[in-house]
Amino acid sequence: MSSARAFEANFDGLVGPTHHYGGHSFGNVASTGNANQAANPREAALQGLAKMKALADLGYRQGVLPPQERPALWMLRDLGYTGSDAEIIAAMGNTPSGFLSSLSSASSMWTANAATVSPSADTQDGRVHFTVANLQNKFHRAIEHKQTARTLKSIFADSQHFMVHDALPMLAALGDEGAANHTRLCHDYADQGVEFFVYGRQHWGGAIAPQRYPARQTREASEAVIRRHGLAASHTVLAQQNPAVIDAGVFHNDVIAVGNQNVLFCHQDAFLAAEQVYAELTAKMAGQLHIIEVPRNVVSVADAVKSYLFNSQLLAKPDGSQRLVIPEECRNTPEVWAYLQALQADGGPINELLVYDLKQSMQNGGGPACLRLRVALNDAEANAVNTGVWMNDALYARLTQWVARHYRDRLVEADLLDPSFLIEVRSALDELTQILQLGSIYPFQMQDVDV
């Protein structure tokens, strides 16, 4: 047991100025279902910032992660396109629909997929470890990992406290989707916890897999992260996601389960061999784990996916109970809202609901949990984080003004062919790195960078 004070911070992805509905994420029902609608990047960014500020005002430590540079002109040059930036963008008019859109995705906003994080209380060397997710299953996300590493290394730069590992090799056998398939359970953030890794398929020796949609996380990738971070077998649990729910649109575990401290909130159909999973988690939590399993006859998987009930944030309160941060869609889904009202009143650990409007993100397939990367820190580690990214009144004011100056209020795929748009985006990001005190992290700001 540790005497150090520790807490869980959330680092939310700031929605980028290229936010649009490209429908690139096969297996994500909201993403594909809303493809080609007009998006509002300004509203999306402000909605995300409002949630960050609200949680900071409640006393939670809240950080900001910047968007990535898009369109990814560096990728097009790597693919053989030549000429000026404007000429390359003009050439995209002769390519199939969706190509430039994929290279312009603002998907890095969903920072639950940025990395898997193990706090210092769990790791062999006593540092906070990050493994950047390779996201190899989807083209528009597979191009994120090098920038993600640069960003995290800028924010968590102190090697005494932090270790940022580059992504696993870009191979199907090592498909890694980051914290969206990882939950840390504990009794106190300062003490060694139980790290729960959920995978969709096992590349070698696994026979059970979904049939309709891809399983993005492999067991082999999760095992590699466990080794990298120096985690003890006595405090890790590996479980397979139910392939039937993946085929129903549950593309990541955080769409069907969420945990915090000694609470696991999940759907009845979340895991294969669920009773065995619960038993192992409970044993490794020294018999003290509160499992809230939502029955399928009360909330269907379809309603869970529609409302993103489990893509929520469980936040610890000072009295030991939990708040549940949910999107507006939960209130608009009658069966889900009825369940949540009963849950709030039943005397269990979840006794408060916080509802936020995140429609722009939700329509692209990401709820409150997708937008944040959880990092448990002690005071010394928190003091070693780049101070420019912590949300407060002054930063909120600067960022909302920045969004108002630089973001469009309507964006469709055709707008990406406007060469002036690239200039708009780069101007915005250049200013943002100064606001967040990140230094030069983007390809357009650097020379000879390995992008």
Side-chain angles (χ1 to χ4, degrees):
M1 302 289 286
S2 170
S3 61
R5 192 182 79 94
F7 53 87
E8 185 175 80
N10 289 288
F11 289 81
D12 280 38
L14 179 55
V15 181
T18 63
H19 163 69
H20 68 286
Y21 299 127
H24 306 303
S25 192
F26 180 67
N28 181 330
V29 176
S31 170
T32 55
N34 290 299
N36 302 318
Q37 292 189 27
N40 187 330
R42 183 183 302 164
E43 182 180 52
L46 293 175
Q47 287 174 348
L49 284 168
K51 178 176 81 77
M52 294 185 227
K53 180 61 163 56
L55 297 188
D57 287 347
L58 286 171
Y60 297 101
R61 292 299 295 270
Q62 178 67 60
V64 181
L65 293 180
Q68 299 203 1
E69 179 188 341
R70 296 292 183 271
L73 267 291
W74 48 267
M75 172 60 75
L76 289 169
R77 293 187 184 278
D78 198 38
L79 294 175
Y81 288 89
T82 59
S84 67
D85 291 342
E87 288 170 340
I88 291 176
I89 290 175
M92 293 299 97
N94 298 318
T95 61
S97 177
F99 184 42
L100 180 58
S101 175
S102 292
L103 291 159
S104 303
S105 174
S107 54
S108 65
M109 62 200 267
W110 296 305
T111 55
N113 302 118
T116 303
V117 186
S118 295
S120 57
D122 297 355
T123 62
Q124 191 172 33
D125 68 1
R127 293 187 291 176
V128 182
H129 281 249
F130 303 75
T131 287
V132 174
N134 61 27
L135 301 171
Q136 62 83 36
N137 190 262
K138 297 286 180 285
F139 172 76
H140 70 291
R141 303 223 62 180
I143 63 176
E144 293 178 11
H145 66 94
K146 289 184 179 180
Q147 179 62 61
T148 300
R150 285 196 298 272
T151 299
L152 292 178
K153 288 174 182 178
S154 174
I155 295 172
F156 303 99
D158 189 335
S159 61
Q160 177 184 347
H161 296 292
F162 308 116
M163 177 64 199
V164 179
H165 302 270
D166 291 335
L168 294 171
M170 193 66 66
L171 303 168
L174 296 172
D176 181 21
E177 300 282 313
N181 293 308
H182 170 262
T183 300
R184 181 181 187 251
L185 302 167
C186 63
H187 299 297
D188 187 283
Y189 293 122
D191 300 328
Q192 187 174 18
V194 174
E195 300 207 18
F196 182 31
F197 293 81
V198 181
Y199 60 92
R201 67 181 179 89
Q202 186 171 339
H203 190 78
W204 285 289
I208 302 173
Q211 301 301 306
R212 183 183 182 190
Y213 293 135
R216 305 184 189 185
Q217 182 81 27
T218 67
R219 181 185 177 104
E220 290 81 0
S222 296
E223 290 172 335
V225 173
I226 290 169
R227 289 190 296 269
R228 280 182 165 194
H229 292 193
L231 304 181
S234 60
H235 287 74
T236 56
V237 174
L238 281 154
Q240 185 168 356
Q241 189 174 353
N242 183 350
V245 299
I246 295 177
D247 282 337
V250 181
F251 53 99
H252 290 138
N253 179 63
D254 69 0
V255 181
I256 203 71
V258 61
N260 185 38
Q261 293 186 319
N262 66 342
V263 177
L264 176 65
F265 179 50
C266 60
H267 193 274
Q268 181 181 357
D269 295 322
F271 311 110
L272 278 183
E275 293 305 318
Q276 295 177 31
V277 173
Y278 298 155
E280 185 178 359
L281 286 170
T282 302
K284 290 183 175 180
M285 283 288 288
Q288 300 176 45
L289 177 63
H290 196 119
I291 299 170
I292 304 172
E293 184 187 76
V294 182
R296 68 176 71 92
N297 64 351
V298 175
V299 175
S300 67
V301 172
D303 277 344
V305 172
K306 174 185 175 182
S307 65
Y308 270 34
L309 166 62
F310 298 99
N311 196 246
S312 50
Q313 292 178 252
L314 267 179
L315 301 175
K317 297 169 66 174
D319 64 1
S321 64
Q322 304 277 332
R323 294 182 169 104
L324 190 68
V325 175
I326 53 176
E328 186 72 40
E329 284 74 5
C330 284
R331 185 154 51 192
N332 298 334
T333 306
E335 293 80 3
V336 169
W337 191 242
Y339 170 78
L340 285 171
Q341 296 304 295
L343 177 70
Q344 188 178 12
D346 72 0
I350 301 175
N351 60 14
E352 184 179 354
L353 305 176
L354 300 178
V355 184
Y356 292 99
D357 179 6
L358 298 168
K359 183 179 180 181
Q360 288 290 321
S361 176
M362 286 287 291
Q363 289 186 163
N364 228 354
C370 286
L371 287 164
R372 62 89 177 94
L373 183 68
R374 304 162 72 172
V375 185
L377 300 166
N378 60 39
D379 286 333
E381 291 157 354
N383 290 334
V385 173
N386 183 326
T387 59
V389 302
W390 290 119
M391 178 58 71
N392 52 41
D393 291 345
L395 181 60
Y396 179 71
R398 291 193 71 183
L399 289 177
T400 53
Q401 293 165 9
W402 172 81
V403 168
R405 286 196 306 275
H406 292 289
Y407 280 53
R408 298 186 181 191
D409 61 8
R410 185 182 189 279
L411 197 67
V412 295
E413 184 175 347
D415 297 328
L416 302 173
L417 289 167
D418 178 0
S420 67
F421 187 44
L422 176 65
I423 299 171
E424 291 178 29
V425 171
R426 287 178 172 174
S427 296
L429 295 182
D430 195 49
E431 183 179 338
L432 180 64
T433 56
Q434 298 171 53
I435 294 173
L436 299 179
Q437 302 172 30
L438 296 173
S440 296
I441 61 170
Y442 293 118
F444 75 90
Q445 296 175 318
M446 307 165 71
Q447 291 184 341
D448 302 322
V449 61
D450 179 11
V451 293

